[in-house]
């Protein structure tokens, strides 16, 4: 969610119990503008918080001119001092999927891969690498997984130019109340997968400038999203049941929207059996 409107945005998603203490909100209000200035980001989003056993990771994302380009990610343990995270790699993602249980809250903590996957540990040893995974690498991979799976935006909020870059749509005035309650009105804000598999006939009714992302209506398993009206029917809130703690909000007929994650960084693998 947009750093500039963080206090108001947090109030709109507070119905699920997510939130920050007044001290943390004040610290973010002071540090995020400095973060934007020092790293020369065009925009800064507060991504959320992953709660560990001994501490919490507060995450921010920095955006450049192309909103769909890979975002710079930073974490903080106190909402004041920020450290830049390296981009996620396929190796990080593969290793992180093997780790189970809670985060520790210590970025230097090391997981022993030999206790989790002996074959993968043997391959690392053969390659001259230690068979350990640092929690910082797990943090990078988990943020990437959550953004790919449940990072969403309303239809029409962003436009793709003929040359390729994606920009905020200045003409976007929000979804109507009826449209805002449909899963088809929201897109995954990441590289599309299902869109590439559609036939030319299916793409005929799509607007290439706005319909360049995958819609939520085809998410698997079906039923992995909860849509609710809150604040007296003035705010539409979507909650992910796959990554518990991800909350998206949109105020119909306005430009106000965003998502935030407050959770343990664990995927709900039991969801298919719960639906």
């Amino acid at each position: 969610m947009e750093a500039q409107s963080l206090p108001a945005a947090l109030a709109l998603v507070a119905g699920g119990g997510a939130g920050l203490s007044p001290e943390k909100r004040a610290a973010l209000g002071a540090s995020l503008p400095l973060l934007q200035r020092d790293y020369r980001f065009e925009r800064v989003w507060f991504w959320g918080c992953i709660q560990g056993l001994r501490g919490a990771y507060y995450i921010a994302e920095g955006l450049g001119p192309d909103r769909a380009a890979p975002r710079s990610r930073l974490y903080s343990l106190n909402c004041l001092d920020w450290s830049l995270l390296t981009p996620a790699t396929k190796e990080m993602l593969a290793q992180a999927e093997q780790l189970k249980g809670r985060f520790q809250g210590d970025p230097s903590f090391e997981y022993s891969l030999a206790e989790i996957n002996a074959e993968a540990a043997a391959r690392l040893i053969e390659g001259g690498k230690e068979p350990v995974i640092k929690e910082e690498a797990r943090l990078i991979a988990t943020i990437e997984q959550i953004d790919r799976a449940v990072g969403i935006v309303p239809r029409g909020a962003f436009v793709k130019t003929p040359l390729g870059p994606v920009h905020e749509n200045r003409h976007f005035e929000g979804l109507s109340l009826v449209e805002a309650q449909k899963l088809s009105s929201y897109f995954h804000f990441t590289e599309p997968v299902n869109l590439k598999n559609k036939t030319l006939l299916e793409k005929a009714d799509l607007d290439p400038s706005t319909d360049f992302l995958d819609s939520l209506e085809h998410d698997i398993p079906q039923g992995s999203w909860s849509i609710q009206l809150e604040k007296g029917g003035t705010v539409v809130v979507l909650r992910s049941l796959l990554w518990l703690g991800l909350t998206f909000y949109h105020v119909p007929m306005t430009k106000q929207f965003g998502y935030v994650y407050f959770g343990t960084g664990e995927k709900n693998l039991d969801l298919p059996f719960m639906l």
Side-chain angles (χ1 to χ4, degrees):
M1 54 177 58
E2 190 72 45
Q4 295 177 346
S5 57
L6 187 59
L10 286 173
L12 295 177
V13 299
L20 294 169
S21 67
E23 293 82 4
K24 296 299 182 187
R25 286 201 301 269
L28 288 173
S31 66
L32 291 180
L34 295 177
L35 192 69
Q36 181 173 351
R37 182 199 68 186
D38 293 343
Y39 285 89
R40 298 181 180 178
F41 295 135
E42 282 202 0
R43 292 287 180 89
V44 169
W45 286 355
F46 176 65
W47 184 89
C49 168
I50 293 180
Q51 187 67 48
L53 295 173
R54 291 179 284 176
Y57 297 104
Y58 299 91
I59 316 299
E61 293 186 326
L63 289 79
D66 184 356
R67 297 296 191 256
R71 299 186 279 277
S72 299
R73 297 188 175 110
L74 306 97
Y75 77 93
S76 173
L77 301 176
N78 57 9
C79 294
L80 290 172
D81 304 308
W82 296 88
S83 300
L84 188 65
L85 292 169
T86 59
T89 63
K90 291 182 179 179
E91 184 183 14
M92 283 183 187
L93 293 169
Q95 290 178 347
E97 286 183 354
Q98 301 175 46
L99 299 176
K100 308 296 179 187
R102 294 281 302 275
F103 278 78
Q104 297 297 312
D106 177 7
S108 62
F109 180 82
E110 294 182 342
Y111 299 90
S112 174
L113 194 58
E115 299 175 4
I116 303 163
N117 188 325
E119 292 182 9
R123 285 196 298 270
L124 285 177
I125 293 172
E126 288 176 5
K129 299 179 181 178
E130 290 188 40
V132 295
I133 306 171
K134 283 198 172 184
E135 183 154 282
E136 186 174 86
R138 184 189 181 190
L139 178 67
I140 293 168
T142 301
I143 296 170
E144 180 71 17
Q145 285 177 319
I146 294 174
D147 259 348
R148 286 185 187 181
V150 291
I152 61 175
V153 294
R155 181 181 184 273
F158 293 87
V159 292
K160 187 172 186 178
T161 63
L163 297 177
V166 174
H167 302 290
E168 291 163 358
N169 185 359
R170 296 181 180 179
H171 302 290
F172 177 70
E173 296 296 337
L175 301 171
S176 67
L177 184 59
V178 174
E179 290 296 319
Q181 297 179 69
K182 299 178 182 177
L183 278 181
S184 58
S185 298
Y186 301 95
F187 292 153
H188 290 281
F189 199 38
T190 186
E191 187 70 23
V193 177
N194 297 330
L195 187 65
K196 295 177 181 177
N197 299 326
K198 287 189 175 183
T199 64
L200 291 175
L201 189 61
E202 290 174 317
K203 292 180 180 179
D205 295 329
L206 301 180
D207 184 340
S209 65
T210 55
D211 299 317
F212 58 93
L213 300 168
D214 285 336
S215 169
L216 266 62
E217 63 180 333
H218 302 300
D219 279 13
I220 299 173
Q222 288 190 349
S224 60
W225 289 97
S226 164
I227 302 181
Q228 297 170 326
L229 285 173
E230 296 187 0
K231 305 290 182 182
T234 59
V235 181
V236 177
V237 175
L238 279 72
R239 292 187 174 89
S240 173
L241 304 180
L242 185 63
W243 287 94
L244 297 171
L246 190 288
T247 306
F248 170 89
Y249 76 93
H250 175 48
V251 181
M253 305 306 293
T254 75
K255 296 183 178 183
Q256 298 179 57
F257 68 88
Y259 67 86
V260 69
Y261 178 81
F262 287 100
T264 60
E266 296 174 284
K267 190 175 182 179
N268 182 15
L269 299 175
D270 295 328
L271 179 61
F273 306 101
M274 298 166 64
L275 296 173

